[in-house]
Amino acid sequence: MEQDKTTDAAVIEDLFRQQGEAMQALFAPFLPTADAHVPDPMDLQHWAMSAAKLQKMWLDFGVEQVGQSESILARASGAEGLQAKWNKWLSEIAGALPLANPDTRAKLWEDSVTLWSAILEQYGSGLQPRKSGAPDLPRKDRRFADPRWREQPVFALIHQTYLLLAERINAMANDLSGVSPERHEQIRFLTKVVTDALSPANFPLTNPMVIERTLETRGENLVKGVEHLLTDLRKGQLTHTDPDAFELGRNLATTPGKVVHETPLFQLIQYTPTTETVLAVPLVIFPPWINRFYILDLNPQKSFIRWAVEQGLSVFIVSWKSADAAMAEVLWGDYIRAQVEAIDVVRARLKVPAVHAIGYCVAGTTLAATLAFLARRGEADKVASATFFTAQVDFEKAGDLKNFIDDQQLQLLESLATDGFLDGRYMAATFNMLRGRDLIWSYVVNNYLLGEEYPAFDLLHWNGDTTNLPFKWQKAYLTELYRDNRLVVPDSLVIDGTPLDLHRIATPLYIQAGREDHIAPAESVWKLTRHVAGPWKFVLAGSGHIAGVVNPPSSGKYQYWLNDGTPATLEEFIAGARETKGSWWPDWISWIVAQDDARVPARGRRVPGGRGDKVFGDAPGSYVKSR
């Protein structure tokens, strides 16, 4: 029995290894790409120098790790270790899918041979593409868009065989029966993770661009790539962009403003108006505390904050503090109380009865709880309207993140927590895994194998600028909301003796979702409309969790959909929706003005930092810079 289990766990590895070895044995003489040249013997000294550099870097790295209580590799891979985790995933997939079935394996082999024959027919006797043009390969994938994947039959066979096997294995996972829906989703997700990792593009000996670059540079690309790899291992995080290209306050988060309030949990920033008059009702933005707030203020062209100020809004935003040991006991109630405090500070500062509020992602989930909290206490009129950016309250259809909340994953997170908080790099790695092709493997190829320099990309810089999380709250969030879905159960959750019931929310709502959002799926965001009592407007934006939100009108990108009817489901909404090209921001500001169009002069406390106004420094503040 144990031997069968071991055999089953090796099925996937065998499938790829056997076919890879067969193709390498058959086509080994043709491995260099069409434009590559075998190195001249005179270049051997250069190759030797590259090998010596590689050896020295690894030896130096090994010396650094000696004496450390826990190595960088161990911290990066978690309690089980990379190899153990990988083997476990392979075992789970092999145990769930019919890969060990002789008929299944025979069919895969038969289809592979048929594929090889069809591909080789398109190449001449010299194993070169026909003169009539590039071969027409049956499977297309942007990972293999470079012409060098088609210039020689060996690489065409390698990547087309991979695509065939990945397609069939993922289809098996999608069609799996006899398991619970939760287990089915987990197997489906793990299968995609594993098959993405096994792409021939990710390995130097099966990637024609890497082979060609290595021959051209005599191995210098691998030296540079290992430098990048060791740097990332030392910091415990994959690098996506040039770490020296951006600086807060210089070319990021540059909208002028002042920190006007500070607590141990957050700083409140008020931005300087640029119009002579402003809307009487101010705006308070609550960004997620799992990321830095400046996603809404990347640069002047992309900044939602700057744009909102230019529309005549008095804009405030909360900058959450990255968790440390002093925040070990912070729970969800603390964030709800913080949102209420920020609302009250703005109301008192500007002497207004109410504010408009925006909640992004998890802070939107908390904003819904805050609205329910205020409604139960008879204080709902403190918020004139609430806008939700890609926020979930009903987690029944919460997407791939639900694959990380079983008991085993929660135990792993607990083992990774230190001094009561979870290092933000672990959450960053989790989110990267949700889009592994784009946020992991493309960078492995470009930065580690090809040895390319990092680009200067502000969005990717923000994506890697992680924040630590209070572990008690993070665990409660994953169990009480994601796993148990208690927020939509009336009075199931209680904050400061106040039961939360979303059905008491009568505040006008503007609900935005991203059509391609992989973190907060549109179907899940839509469910907010089913749990509130007041009026709401739903907008479905093109793109995903970030680009669907950060889409200024000047960019001319994407589109959005509205439906003036009364759809009961997202499918009904889409079926009757009208599409508008470009950004949804103008529609939002029109909706805000429709709530209350009264304006007042932009003077006094509407301008932060004036005479007698106590402030705590300039925007973007100090909390956003804490690590």
Side-chain angles (χ1 to χ4, degrees):
M1 184 68 179
E2 186 64 31
Q3 184 177 358
D4 291 342
K5 182 178 179 181
T6 302
T7 302
D8 290 348
V11 167
I12 296 177
E13 290 180 299
D14 284 345
L15 283 171
F16 285 92
R17 179 180 57 77
Q18 289 174 6
Q19 300 211 26
E21 289 176 353
M23 286 185 288
Q24 285 191 5
L26 183 60
F27 299 109
F30 306 97
L31 272 175
T33 59
D35 298 327
H37 302 284
V38 176
D40 189 279
M42 297 297 292
D43 292 331
L44 290 178
Q45 184 177 2
H46 197 128
W47 282 91
M49 291 177 61
S50 295
K53 290 177 185 177
L54 288 169
Q55 183 181 34
K56 184 178 185 304
M57 284 189 291
W58 280 111
L59 288 173
D60 289 345
F61 180 72
V63 170
E64 290 176 16
Q65 303 306 300
V66 174
Q68 291 192 13
S69 59
E70 187 180 20
S71 71
I72 295 288
L73 280 170
R75 291 201 302 272
S77 61
E80 296 181 15
L82 285 171
Q83 187 63 47
K85 185 179 291 294
W86 179 257
N87 291 338
K88 175 178 176 294
W89 286 353
L90 288 176
S91 178
E92 288 186 10
I93 294 170
L97 304 183
L99 289 167
N101 185 298
D103 292 338
T104 299
R105 299 187 70 174
K107 184 66 167 64
L108 284 173
W109 183 259
E110 178 184 345
D111 290 345
S112 297
V113 172
T114 301
L115 175 69
W116 296 354
S117 299
I119 291 174
L120 289 175
E121 284 179 1
Q122 300 191 57
Y123 291 84
S125 59
L127 292 179
Q128 295 293 328
R130 288 179 174 178
K131 295 181 180 180
S132 59
D136 183 21
L137 302 179
R139 287 171 174 79
K140 307 291 192 273
D141 190 292
R142 61 189 176 91
R143 290 172 291 178
F144 309 105
D146 191 284
R148 282 167 287 193
W149 286 103
R150 299 182 297 278
E151 286 176 353
Q152 295 219 16
V154 60
F155 295 113
L157 288 171
I158 287 173
H159 87 267
Q160 287 290 302
T161 302
Y162 160 76
L163 290 175
L164 168 67
L165 293 174
E167 174 188 291
R168 298 296 171 82
I169 292 172
N170 279 287
M172 292 178 196
N174 290 333
D175 297 337
L176 189 65
S177 60
V179 296
S180 68
E182 294 78 12
R183 182 61 176 161
H184 186 191
E185 278 302 301
Q186 193 172 59
I187 291 295
R188 181 198 60 77
F189 175 75
L190 290 179
T191 302
K192 184 177 184 302
V193 169
V194 169
T195 54
D196 283 350
L198 289 171
S199 166
N202 302 336
F203 300 94
L205 294 181
T206 52
N207 186 322
M209 287 86 78
V210 176
I211 293 173
E212 186 172 292
R213 180 71 60 84
T214 304
L215 293 175
E216 288 174 350
T217 67
R218 306 177 187 91
E220 287 290 342
N221 61 303
L222 299 180
V223 173
K224 176 60 71 173
V226 169
E227 288 179 356
H228 290 158
L229 171 61
L230 296 182
T231 297
D232 288 354
L233 289 175
R234 289 184 178 101
K235 73 176 187 178
Q237 185 180 7
L238 184 70
T239 299
H240 289 117
T241 187
D242 181 356
D244 301 319
F246 299 101
E247 181 183 352
L248 288 167
R250 178 175 63 85
N251 54 4
L252 291 174
T254 60
T255 303
K258 304 287 184 182
V259 178
V260 298
H261 184 71
E262 180 177 300
T263 77
L265 190 55
F266 72 93
Q267 289 181 326
L268 183 65
I269 301 170
Q270 180 183 1
Y271 291 93
T272 304
T274 59
T275 55
E276 292 186 1
T277 63
V278 292
L279 289 167
V281 182
L283 172 68
V284 183
I285 303 173
F286 299 107
W289 48 86
I290 58 176
N291 296 111
R292 310 285 177 174
F293 82 85
Y294 63 87
I295 183 59
L296 298 176
D297 192 27
L298 282 174
N299 61 46
Q301 291 72 42
K302 299 177 183 176
S303 174
F304 176 84
I305 291 171
R306 184 180 293 262
W307 178 86
V309 169
E310 292 171 351
Q311 307 311 303
L313 280 163
S314 293
V315 179
F316 295 76
I317 194 166
V318 164
S319 175
W320 303 103
K321 186 178 181 181
S322 182
D324 54 23
M327 296 171 60
E329 300 303 318
V330 167
L331 294 170
W332 196 27
D334 296 291
Y335 285 100
I336 292 174
R337 285 186 289 271
Q339 290 193 343
V340 174
E341 180 178 354
I343 290 168
D344 286 341
V345 167
V346 174
R347 291 173 57 247
R349 177 177 175 81
L350 301 186
K351 295 181 172 57
V352 294
V355 304
H356 297 301
I358 292 177
Y360 193 168
C361 190
V362 61
T365 305
T366 306
L367 178 59
T370 298
L371 295 178
F373 178 84
L374 292 173
R376 176 78 76 168
R377 292 194 166 192
E379 300 175 347
D381 56 359
K382 289 182 177 181
V383 181
S385 78
T387 297
F388 295 88
F389 292 169
T390 62
Q392 303 173 93
V393 299
D394 188 327
F395 291 84
E396 180 187 7
K397 302 287 187 180
D400 286 338
L401 271 176
K402 294 193 74 171
N403 293 305
F404 294 89
I405 57 170
D406 61 19
D407 290 339
Q408 187 176 16
Q409 297 291 341
L410 291 174
Q411 289 174 5
L412 174 60
L413 281 179
E414 191 160 5
S415 72
L416 298 174
T418 303
D419 295 331
F421 67 91
L422 184 68
D423 192 316
R425 291 173 294 181
Y426 297 119
M427 288 302 297
T430 298
F431 284 114
N432 287 343
M433 193 179 295
L434 297 180
R435 291 180 57 200
R437 291 186 188 180
D438 297 327
L439 294 178
I440 297 178
W441 297 113
S442 65
Y443 290 91
V444 167
V445 173
N446 292 332
N447 300 331
Y448 297 166
L449 302 183
L450 293 174
E452 294 180 352
E453 295 297 336
Y454 295 110
F457 189 5
D458 52 7
L459 178 59
L460 289 176
H461 176 89
W462 167 84
N463 187 64
D465 192 1
T466 60
T467 57
N468 303 328
L469 306 172
F471 180 71
K472 278 190 175 181
W473 159 227
Q474 178 67 10
K475 183 177 180 180
Y477 175 73
L478 292 175
T479 55
E480 294 180 0
L481 280 77
Y482 258 93
R483 188 187 69 188
D484 301 336
N485 206 16
R486 292 177 59 188
L487 182 56
V488 295
V489 179
D491 300 344
S492 176
L493 297 175
V494 178
I495 301 298
D496 287 350
T498 303
L500 303 182
D501 182 359
L502 299 181
H503 297 89
R504 291 176 174 266
I505 298 174
T507 305
L509 307 182
Y510 190 98
I511 304 168
Q512 179 269 341
R515 188 162 191 170
E516 300 168 19
D517 196 332
H518 63 287
I519 294 175
E523 182 182 7
S524 186
V525 174
W526 167 266
K527 288 179 174 290
L528 174 57
T529 67
R530 306 295 92 187
H531 295 288
V532 296
W536 51 266
K537 182 175 186 177
F538 185 88
V539 57
L540 183 63
S543 197
H545 198 69
I546 303 301
V549 173
V550 184
N551 182 28
S554 60
S555 71
K557 287 184 177 181
Y558 309 124
Q559 68 282 98
Y560 64 94
W561 292 266
L562 296 170
N563 187 324
D564 296 328
T566 57
T569 65
L570 180 62
E571 289 74 17
E572 290 182 15
F573 174 92
I574 293 173
R578 68 181 188 279
E579 179 181 344
T580 302
K581 298 296 184 182
S583 171
W584 55 270
W585 293 6
D587 180 78
W588 173 80
I589 192 64
S590 296
W591 182 84
I592 286 289
V593 172
Q595 306 306 309
D596 189 333
D597 62 358
R599 301 182 76 91
V600 297
R603 59 172 182 255
R605 290 296 178 88
R606 296 279 176 164
V607 183
R611 179 179 298 178
D613 186 14
K614 180 183 178 182
V615 297
F616 298 83
D618 294 331
S622 60
Y623 281 9
V624 72
K625 301 175 183 178
S626 64
R627 297 294 178 265

